[in-house]
Amino acid sequence: GNSVTQMEGPVTLSEEAFLTINCTYTATGYPSLFWYVQYPGEGLQLLLKATKADDKGSNKGFEATYRKETTSFHLEKGSVQVSDSAVYFCALSPIQGAQKLVFGQGTRLTINP
Amino acid sequence: KAGVTQTPRYLIKTRGQQVTLSCSPISGHRSVSWYQQTPGQGLQFLFEYFSETQRNKGNFPGRFSGRQFSNSRSEMNVSTLELGDSALYLCASSLGQATSTDTQYFGPGTRLTVL
C-alpha cells in the first residue's frame, strides 16, 4: 500500500541554522509529492509540490527534490527563521484515487532566536 | 480568490449526539475531501466528493457520512458521537482532476470536542 514516513520530531534549531526534514515514501507507480505546513490553531497550507521524478519544488526558501531512486522527498531550508516554527507534513497523492492524500506523521519544528 | 472556508470553527457536543460540519470550496473547484486529524492517528482521509457523488472513501465507520451540493459546497455528518470522534476535521478542495497532480487546498478546520 501507499505510505509516508517522516523523521520523528520534535526538531529544535537556532535561527539561521540549516534545516533538513527527511521524508520517504512507498507507493505504486510515481505519485505526486507534497509538503504542507500547519501553524498553531490553523489548517494545512501547501508549501511546495513535485509531480515527477527529479522535479524540485520550492517556496519561501524551502526546497525538496523528488528522488525516485531513493523514494525520498526531503525538505530543506538554508537559513530558518523563528516564523518557520510549525508542524510540517509530507504527503503523497496516489496514482489511483488522486484525492486520497496519504500523510506522514508530521514533524514539529521549533526555531529559537 | 477566497480560500476554503469551514463552519463552525469550534463545536462541543456530548456522546450520542450528531453533528454536521460545512465546507465551502475555492471557487471553480469541484472536488471536496474530508480528513480527520488526531494526535494519535494523525491525518486520515475520510471521503471525497466530486460532482455531488462520493468518489473515494477511507476506512471509517458508517456513522461518518457526507454529501455535496450542486454549488460544490459539502457537508459532513457524524451520528452517534463517541469520545474518540474528538478531532480537528479538515476540508480540502481541488479541481478534481483524476491525476495525482491534482492539488488540494485546505480550510482552517473545525475543532470538534465530544464530552
Side-chain angles (χ1 to χ4, degrees):
Chain A
N2 300 309
S3 66
V4 175
T5 303
Q6 284 180 239
M7 67 184 287
E8 290 196 21
V11 174
T12 303
L13 296 171
S14 297
E15 206 165 22
E16 299 183 4
F18 184 86
L19 168 71
T20 299
I21 301 178
N22 290 337
C23 171
T24 58
Y25 68 90
T26 302
T28 303
Y30 300 111
S32 290
L33 301 172
F34 303 85
W35 277 100
Y36 285 89
V37 58
Q38 186 173 37
Y39 297 99
E42 298 185 11
L44 302 180
Q45 294 181 24
L46 177 67
L47 183 58
L48 52 83
K49 68 178 184 181
T51 58
K52 62 182 186 296
D54 299 325
D55 263 3
K56 177 185 283 188
S58 61
N59 185 27
K60 300 181 182 179
F62 290 90
E63 294 183 340
T65 301
Y66 189 162
R67 303 283 189 200
K68 71 175 182 179
E69 61 276 7
T70 54
T71 61
S72 65
F73 193 54
H74 305 320
L75 182 67
E76 296 181 335
K77 187 175 185 182
S79 176
V80 292
Q81 306 300 314
V82 172
S83 58
D84 294 327
S85 297
V87 180
Y88 292 80
F89 291 92
C90 184
L92 70 81
S93 174
I95 298 295
Q96 299 295 329
Q99 284 70 30
K100 293 178 68 171
L101 284 177
V102 177
F103 287 90
Q105 67 269 39
T107 302
R108 183 175 298 279
L109 173 67
T110 301
I111 307 299
N112 293 322
Chain B
K1 186 182 273 191
V4 178
T5 58
Q6 292 187 244
T7 56
R9 292 293 309 276
Y10 302 92
L11 267 177
I12 299 176
K13 293 285 186 180
T14 56
R15 278 181 298 173
Q17 287 187 309
Q18 75 166 16
V19 67
T20 299
L21 313 181
S22 182
C23 172
S24 292
I26 292 170
S27 178
H29 285 189
R30 298 171 63 193
S31 169
V32 173
S33 298
W34 290 89
Y35 294 83
Q36 182 195 65
Q37 184 178 23
T38 60
Q41 299 299 316
L43 281 153
Q44 295 184 285
F45 173 81
L46 281 154
F47 34 64
E48 180 235 354
Y49 284 85
F50 178 78
S51 292
E52 303 178 63
T53 301
Q54 188 180 86
R55 184 165 62 172
N56 288 295
K57 188 177 187 308
N59 296 321
F60 279 80
R63 300 185 297 107
F64 292 83
S65 63
R67 60 177 176 168
Q68 187 180 35
F69 302 94
S70 58
N71 61 357
S72 294
R73 190 177 69 85
S74 176
E75 288 182 348
M76 188 190 99
N77 184 273
V78 188
S79 63
T80 320
L81 284 166
E82 300 177 359
L83 294 179
D85 297 333
S86 294
L88 180 66
Y89 289 88
L90 292 164
C91 161
S93 78
S94 71
L95 292 172
Q97 300 159 327
T99 69
S100 65
T101 58
D102 194 48
T103 301
Q104 293 186 41
Y105 298 88
F106 285 79
T110 294
R111 171 75 61 186
L112 172 65
T113 302
V114 181
L115 303 176

